[in-house]
Amino acid sequence: MFKNPHYVYIIEGTDGKFYTGMTKNIRRRLNEHNGKGRWRNPKAWTFKRMPMFLVHLEKHPDKKSARSRELELKELSHSEKKTLILSTSKEQILSAI
């Protein structure tokens, strides 16, 4: 078990585009991306693509390793991200939370 875990995630919008990010609290962050609570921002990239769906999630032991992985994933092309997502099972996502 990680003492201070951070998560790297990919979400997919209704238009099929991906957003890659990092957070300490994946549930809170997904709610923010989906405009729940005070985070409803019409200018946000995700606003016009809602609802956003979690399609890939990785758990990391600390912020530094999560940030490094986030940057790696952001360098991937759309098709490379799609291949990664297709290899990610729902069980893998649920076990990371």
Side-chain angles (χ1 to χ4, degrees):
M1 206 74 190
F2 299 130
K3 187 176 182 180
N4 190 25
H6 282 69
Y7 299 90
V8 177
Y9 62 91
I10 300 175
I11 53 178
E12 183 175 6
T14 54
D15 61 357
K17 294 193 177 179
F18 300 127
Y19 178 94
T20 303
M22 178 191 77
T23 186
K24 261 186 96 162
N25 185 329
I26 191 65
R27 287 188 174 107
R28 175 191 51 80
R29 194 66 182 116
L30 285 173
N31 282 335
E32 290 171 1
H33 282 305
N34 280 305
K36 303 227 170 112
R38 65 175 207 220
W39 300 103
R40 194 161 180 83
N41 180 359
K43 294 180 182 177
W45 185 89
T46 57
F47 185 82
K48 48 186 164 267
R49 294 168 172 86
M50 289 192 288
M52 301 298 294
F53 298 98
L54 181 64
V55 292
H56 181 76
L57 183 66
E58 298 176 7
K59 190 175 189 177
H60 292 267
D62 54 44
K63 185 176 183 175
K64 184 178 179 181
S65 65
R67 178 70 175 146
S68 176
R69 180 62 173 154
E70 176 193 19
L71 294 174
E72 286 177 13
L73 293 181
K74 285 184 173 186
E75 292 293 318
L76 297 178
S77 68
H78 186 85
S79 62
E80 289 170 324
K81 286 181 185 177
K82 191 79 163 169
T83 300
L84 177 65
I85 290 163
L86 290 173
S87 71
T88 306
S89 71
K90 289 179 185 176
E91 290 78 21
Q92 285 173 303
I93 293 173
L94 292 172
S95 68
I97 295 177

